[in-house]
């Protein structure tokens, strides 16, 4: 089984095996949690880490970039933030906290493809209601509504499911 990350009508998608998807999200959670400063930046990283196959099931966490909880008012700076997160993941930011070493030959092309899709995205493609709906659906105990706590072991932003790296 596999997961697919897409961008609306863009013909070339990013396909990853279930195991590679976990690695992809682990390294984005590490660099994203280290770099996120604003609420919008933290929300994007929590949302990505929430695509947790240990809780949602293998092969069920593909998404389209328009489904991320973008704030249209800060789209450009948030997209630039995510591109920086990918670049720092490629520079192995935080990898010393992993109990394994990612297979770079498999991972790096996926990070590059993710950057390509992000770079091609336009603010008009962001679904305007996603952020509000996601927050409205979040439980009162959800980390995203409680000051963005982090995993003490991995220093990664927690989701409703816990730490993506601990779980996977
Ligand atoms: Zn953890």
């Amino acid at each position: 089984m596999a997961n697919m990350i897409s961008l609306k009508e863009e013909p070339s998608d990013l396909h990853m095996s279930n195991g590679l998807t976990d690695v992809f999200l682990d390294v984005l959670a590490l660099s994203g949690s280290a770099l996120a400063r604003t609420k919008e930046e933290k929300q994007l990283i929590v949302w990505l880490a929430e695509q947790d196959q240990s809780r949602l099931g293998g092969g069920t966490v593909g998404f389209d970039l328009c489904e991320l909880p973008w704030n249209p008012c800060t789209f450009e700076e948030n997209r630039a933030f995510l591109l920086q997160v990918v670049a720092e993941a490629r520079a192995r930011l935080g990898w010393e906290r992993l109990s394994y070493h990612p297979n770079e030959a498999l991972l790096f092309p996926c990070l590059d493809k993710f950057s390509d899709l992000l770079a091609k995205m336009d603010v008009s493609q962001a679904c305007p209601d996603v952020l509000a709906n996601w927050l409205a659906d979040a439980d009162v105990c959800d980390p995203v509504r409680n000051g963005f706590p982090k995993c003490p072991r991995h220093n990664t932003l927690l989701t409703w499911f816990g730490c993506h790296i601990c779980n996977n």
Side-chain angles (χ1 to χ4, degrees):
M1 295 226 288
N3 297 291
M4 189 175 81
I5 298 176
S6 57
L7 171 61
K8 289 206 166 171
E9 56 275 355
E10 178 66 25
S12 64
D13 303 316
L14 166 56
H15 289 263
M16 292 182 284
S17 70
N18 291 353
L20 183 55
T21 305
D22 286 337
V23 176
F24 177 86
L25 293 170
D26 276 356
V27 300
L28 291 183
L30 281 171
S31 68
S33 298
L35 295 172
R37 295 288 176 267
T38 70
K39 179 181 64 180
E40 285 80 10
E41 291 169 354
K42 292 173 183 174
Q43 286 168 344
L44 287 166
I45 299 306
V46 171
W47 190 94
L48 286 170
E50 207 174 72
Q51 310 311 306
D52 190 329
Q53 297 185 98
S54 73
R55 305 304 159 96
L56 298 170
T60 64
V61 301
F63 57 87
D64 194 285
L65 284 179
C66 73
E67 297 171 29
L68 266 70
W70 299 104
N71 179 341
C73 300
T74 56
F75 174 81
E76 289 299 340
E77 59 205 78
N78 293 156
R79 188 244 303 270
F81 161 75
L82 280 185
L83 287 169
Q84 183 68 22
V85 167
V86 176
E88 290 298 331
R90 220 180 183 295
R92 308 176 187 84
L93 181 63
W95 284 22
E96 69 278 1
R97 291 195 173 88
L98 293 172
S99 60
Y100 65 93
H101 192 86
N103 183 329
E104 297 176 8
L106 291 176
L107 175 64
F108 283 179
C110 296
L111 292 173
D112 293 343
K113 180 67 192 174
F114 190 59
S115 285
D116 286 347
L117 292 174
L118 276 170
K120 285 176 178 159
M121 188 175 176
D122 183 88
V123 64
S124 67
Q125 294 172 307
C127 304
D129 300 330
V130 170
L131 175 60
N133 290 341
W134 179 59
L135 293 175
D137 288 344
D139 189 273
V140 289
C141 301
D142 193 302
V144 81
R145 293 171 71 168
N146 288 278
F148 299 103
K150 286 182 171 179
C151 170
R153 186 168 159 216
H154 297 108
N155 204 34
T156 43
L157 290 162
L158 298 177
T159 77
W160 176 242
F161 303 126
C163 167
H164 186 274
I165 300 175
C166 286
N167 291 347
N168 290 282

